[in-house]
Amino acid sequence: LVVQPYTDTYQLPFIVSPTRIPRTAPRTTIKAKRDFALRLFDVSGRMVSEKVCKDSQYELTLPAYNGIYLLQVMSSDGEHQTYKLIVE
C-alpha cells in the first residue's frame, strides 16, 4: 500500500486509498484539506457507518465481508464525492 502525501496542489478535495481492499485487513485511509464527514453504504443502500472527522486524515475500518461499498465523503463547505470500495 502506497499512500500519497496530500498537497494543496492536488485537484480533488479528498483522497481515498486504497479502493480495492483485502478482507484480511479491511481498512482505507481518507485524507482531506479540512474537516469532513463520511457515510458508508452497502449495495442495498443500508448505511453501515457514519462519522464526523475533525482531523484531516482518518482510517476507516470496513466490514470484513466481501462486497462493494459506497463511501460518501463531505467537507464542511459542501464539497462531496462518492467512492466505490471493493472488499475482496
Side-chain angles (χ1 to χ4, degrees), residues 4-70:
Q4 300 171 343
Y6 189 86
T7 64
D8 288 337
T9 59
Y10 197 78
Q11 296 297 318
L12 298 174
F14 312 104
I15 297 174
V16 175
S17 177
T19 56
R20 293 186 78 87
I21 303 154
R23 185 171 51 107
T24 56
R27 290 189 267 297
T28 191
T29 301
I30 299 107
K31 294 183 180 184
K33 292 181 183 179
R34 58 190 71 78
D35 297 349
F36 62 96
L38 58 88
R39 293 182 184 153
L40 182 68
F41 298 91
D42 63 16
V43 290
S44 68
R46 183 178 60 94
M47 189 181 332
V48 176
S49 66
E50 183 174 30
K51 174 82 176 161
V52 175
C53 304
K54 296 295 182 184
D55 295 324
S56 62
Q57 182 172 326
Y58 179 73
E59 185 173 281
L60 173 68
T61 301
L62 286 90
Y65 303 108
N66 289 354
I68 297 173
Y69 297 87
L70 298 175

